[in-house]
Amino acid sequence: MLDQLGQPFPPVDLRTLSGTATLGLTQRPESVRRARDFTRNTLQGWRLPQHFDAVGLVVSELVTNALRHGLGRPVVPAQSHAEPVAPIAVARPLVELELMRCSGRVICAVQDPSGALPRSSNPMDGAAESGRGLHLVECFSDGWGWRMLAGGRGKVVWAAFQTS
């Protein structure tokens, strides 16, 4: 039951909100690198570059999870033997990364269109080749959680970091 409730978004007092930055991402191999670069540049602009190691790692994990599990496989049209057809290029962002700076912390939030709940694997399972991402998020952030969006439009997975 508690897994279905998620964790409420950490309270953000809009009076203390001193910066936001948003990046739309599509299901492309370079999207995780773009998210990390965007995070590095944003933190530098906010004069918080010392927090990049932890925030950048968590952003990488959340974006990877959103692209891998929140979107599923890319849509590719059926090809005939007569004329090969190139895959359809997706122009609109499918995943959105938002960074927020407020009251001594940075919050990163990743939104995807999936209704699938975030699941973490056993981090002690040495045979698992993946599934450790949410364990890393828990270890490197000061708190994380998720919530479903109204109207079945997907979910947001967030992580918070103390900066002062």
Side-chain angles (χ1 to χ4, degrees):
M1 177 71 169
L2 290 176
D3 283 344
Q4 294 177 0
L5 295 176
Q7 297 290 322
F9 199 76
V12 176
D13 182 349
L14 294 180
R15 295 172 297 187
T16 67
L17 190 64
S18 60
T20 64
T22 305
L23 176 67
L25 298 162
T26 57
Q27 195 171 23
R28 301 187 49 83
E30 65 272 8
S31 288
V32 175
R33 180 181 43 81
R34 283 188 61 224
R36 267 193 316 270
D37 292 345
F38 175 79
T39 300
R40 176 182 283 116
N41 292 336
T42 300
L43 291 175
Q44 285 175 344
W46 290 343
R47 300 177 193 253
L48 297 171
Q50 68 275 22
H51 296 284
F52 174 72
D53 289 343
V55 178
L57 173 72
V58 168
V59 163
S60 294
E61 293 298 334
L62 294 181
V63 168
T64 297
N65 285 349
L67 293 171
R68 181 176 293 156
H69 305 293
L71 296 180
R73 298 177 187 259
V75 177
V76 179
Q79 295 185 5
S80 69
H81 295 288
E83 293 183 36
V85 178
I88 296 173
V90 178
R92 63 181 177 76
L94 298 171
V95 169
E96 186 175 89
L97 165 64
E98 184 170 15
L99 301 172
M100 294 166 270
R101 180 181 183 192
C102 59
S103 60
R105 63 186 166 168
V106 168
I107 299 168
C108 67
V110 177
Q111 177 179 330
D112 70 57
S114 172
L117 304 178
R119 290 185 347 188
S120 144
S121 297
N122 180 357
M124 303 310 282
D125 181 3
E129 292 184 22
S130 66
R132 297 184 189 102
L134 290 178
H135 179 69
L136 291 174
V137 171
E138 185 171 336
C139 290
F140 283 89
S141 69
D142 293 307
W144 75 279
W146 59 271
R147 68 177 173 85
M148 301 307 288
L149 297 173
R153 295 184 347 244
K155 67 179 172 301
V156 174
V157 182
W158 58 267
F161 304 85
Q162 293 295 324
T163 59
S164 57

